[in-house]
Amino acid sequence: MPKRILAVDDEKMNLRVLSGLLRSMGHDPVLAESGEKALEVLDPGIDLVLLDVMMPDMDGFHVAKKIRERKDVGDVPIIMVTALSGKQDRLSAVEAGANDFIAKPIDLTELRVRMDSLLKMKHSQDQVKRYQAELEEMVAVRTKALRMALENLEESQKTILAAHRETIYRLASAAEFKDEETANHITRMSRYCACLAANLGLHKGEVELVEQASPMHDIGKIGIPDSILLKPGKLTPDEWELMKKHTIFGSRILGSSTFELLRAGEIIALSHHEKWDGSGYPKGLSGEDIPLFGRICAVADVYDALTSKRPYKEAFTDEVSLGIMRAGRGSHFDPRILDCFLNNFDGILDIKRRYAD
């Protein structure tokens, strides 16, 4: 198969001679009368360059260096054609990037031998390039397919997770409706908890987890009789003891799950009525023995309960509600979390307005 050979020489006679020699060997010559012209016509389709050294403006050494700097043709074989025969000239040719050199006047047999060797090398390089390109294309195609599969899997997981969360939310809503609270209560609760968690510096995953798990805080109320939940007056001691068991009921409903969201819900259900000084229920935990999510939920739950209407009370104003909560700092509430709540109260108010009953 004929090869495209770029012959570069400032002498037109020399170019005609080179062109004839190359055609006699069955190749297709591309001719350039200067280094600048050679760099213009050189493209990836050139298989070898025959480059004269002694040329005006830009000599062969300079042209060779320019060729080696190009990414598209930087590995093309170069044979320097020169009348120079000194050792330093040959070293300069190698340093410039020449693969071989041949002396003038050119001998056809020597030219054929030197060119054949380099053209075989070029052929091997081209095969490797083609294989590499095919491999890269195959990897790109498979990577794209894998990425699409992962995206589909991720989307499926999101859909499944959303379905789980929707089921949990509706179950939590059922408990709240039984207590004559609204679905907006659990929405506000979850947003308050997320706001607090974010401002406390929890990482994004924990913020999302407490937001999704906090609606389950009172899910145990499903196990409390309506006569107690809906009683407009004060509960008797026995009734109050039964009411407090909604924390345990909620823990049992959500317990023993391998699903992280349900495990977080179990913790919140069991601990959101614990108090910083140990006077809460059901376990009487105190301080940081109370799980962080439970301490966060306690602040959010009390604020929403104070500012919402219940069968036994009217809604308190923010001023009254915050006064009650400040009085509980260090007794009912973790001081750090309550301070965070008060310091970011504008964000709390925005949530309250957006999800009003």
Side-chain angles (χ1 to χ4, degrees), residues 285-310:
L285 301 178
S286 64
E288 293 190 358
D289 287 341
I290 305 170
L292 177 59
F293 283 5
R295 284 178 272 149
I296 290 172
C297 192
V299 173
D301 189 32
V302 169
Y303 173 71
D304 198 70
L306 289 172
T307 55
S308 300
K309 184 178 179 180
R310 294 291 185 266

Side-chain angles (χ1 to χ4, degrees), residues 259-290:
F259 188 25
E260 184 182 33
L261 180 58
L262 293 183
R263 292 201 304 270
E266 175 190 3
I267 290 170
I268 290 173
L270 190 62
S271 63
H272 72 286
H273 282 297
E274 300 288 359
K275 296 184 178 180
W276 187 254
D277 64 2
S279 63
Y281 63 88
K283 294 186 177 182
L285 301 178
S286 64
E288 293 190 358
D289 287 341
I290 305 170

Side-chain angles (χ1 to χ4, degrees), residues 36-94:
E36 291 86 350
K37 182 65 176 178
L39 294 173
E40 288 179 14
V41 300
L42 180 60
D43 60 46
I46 297 294
D47 295 293
L48 185 143
V49 178
L50 289 173
L51 180 58
D52 186 32
V53 173
M54 304 301 292
M55 295 186 294
D57 299 326
M58 186 184 297
D59 65 23
F61 299 138
H62 194 183
V63 175
K65 288 178 181 178
K66 289 287 186 181
I67 292 173
R68 293 299 180 230
E69 290 171 359
R70 285 174 51 174
K71 292 183 178 180
D72 58 339
V73 293
D75 60 353
V76 66
I78 300 174
I79 297 178
M80 303 292 280
V81 182
T82 178
L84 303 174
S85 58
K87 180 179 179 181
Q88 184 57 48
D89 297 318
R90 297 187 178 193
L91 288 175
S92 296
V94 172

Side-chain angles (χ1 to χ4, degrees), residues 19-312:
S19 178
L21 291 174
L22 293 172
R23 291 187 186 281
S24 69
M25 289 187 286
H27 298 310
D28 181 14
V30 178
L31 308 180
E33 296 179 359
S34 67
E36 291 86 350
K37 182 65 176 178
L39 294 173
E40 288 179 14
V41 300
L42 180 60
D43 60 46
I46 297 294
D47 295 293
L48 185 143
V49 178
L50 289 173
L51 180 58
D52 186 32
V53 173
M54 304 301 292
M55 295 186 294
D57 299 326
M58 186 184 297
D59 65 23
F61 299 138
H62 194 183
V63 175
K65 288 178 181 178
K66 289 287 186 181
I67 292 173
R68 293 299 180 230
E69 290 171 359
R70 285 174 51 174
K71 292 183 178 180
D72 58 339
V73 293
D75 60 353
V76 66
I78 300 174
I79 297 178
M80 303 292 280
V81 182
T82 178
L84 303 174
S85 58
K87 180 179 179 181
Q88 184 57 48
D89 297 318
R90 297 187 178 193
L91 288 175
S92 296
V94 172
E95 289 173 355
N99 299 92
D100 205 346
F101 45 87
I102 189 169
K104 293 181 179 178
I106 297 175
D107 179 79
L108 178 59
T109 301
E110 182 183 7
L111 179 62
R112 179 182 286 109
V113 170
R114 294 185 185 278
M115 284 181 54
D116 285 349
S117 175
L118 291 175
L119 288 171
K120 287 179 182 178
M121 180 190 73
K122 178 68 163 51
H123 178 70
S124 298
Q125 288 177 342
D126 289 344
Q127 283 186 317
V128 171
K129 282 183 179 180
R130 282 192 293 272
Y131 175 75
Q132 184 177 10
E134 291 171 0
L135 184 61
E136 288 176 355
E137 183 180 0
M138 180 177 66
V139 169
V141 169
R142 293 190 177 183
T143 299
K144 183 178 179 180
L146 177 60
R147 187 178 295 111
M148 290 178 63
L150 290 173
E151 288 174 355
N152 290 337
L153 176 60
E154 183 179 1
E155 192 61 34
S156 297
Q157 289 175 333
K158 285 180 180 178
T159 301
I160 293 170
L161 183 58
H164 284 317
R165 287 173 175 171
E166 178 70 11
T167 301
I168 291 166
Y169 185 88
R170 291 183 180 276
L171 185 60
S173 295
E176 300 297 348
F177 286 140
K178 189 176 181 184
D179 194 17
E180 287 197 353
E181 295 178 2
T182 69
N184 280 350
H185 164 65
I186 60 175
T187 301
R188 288 192 301 269
M189 265 284 301
S190 67
R191 300 300 192 277
Y192 293 156
C193 287
C195 179
L196 276 170
N199 284 294
L200 285 167
L202 274 65
H203 65 71
K204 183 179 178 182
E206 290 178 307
V207 173
E208 291 179 355
L209 184 59
V210 73
E211 181 178 6
Q212 297 296 333
S214 56
M216 295 179 276
H217 67 291
D218 276 342
I219 200 169
K221 287 182 178 178
I222 290 176
I224 304 299
D226 290 352
S227 59
I228 295 176
L229 283 176
L230 306 180
K231 186 175 181 178
K234 185 176 181 180
L235 299 180
T236 67
D238 288 343
E239 289 172 337
W240 178 238
E241 287 303 314
L242 182 55
M243 171 64 89
K244 290 194 292 186
K245 288 185 178 179
H246 80 275
T247 55
I248 297 172
F249 295 161
S251 173
R252 289 175 181 172
I253 291 170
L254 301 171
S256 303
S257 174
T258 58
F259 188 25
E260 184 182 33
L261 180 58
L262 293 183
R263 292 201 304 270
E266 175 190 3
I267 290 170
I268 290 173
L270 190 62
S271 63
H272 72 286
H273 282 297
E274 300 288 359
K275 296 184 178 180
W276 187 254
D277 64 2
S279 63
Y281 63 88
K283 294 186 177 182
L285 301 178
S286 64
E288 293 190 358
D289 287 341
I290 305 170
L292 177 59
F293 283 5
R295 284 178 272 149
I296 290 172
C297 192
V299 173
D301 189 32
V302 169
Y303 173 71
D304 198 70
L306 289 172
T307 55
S308 300
K309 184 178 179 180
R310 294 291 185 266
Y312 51 86

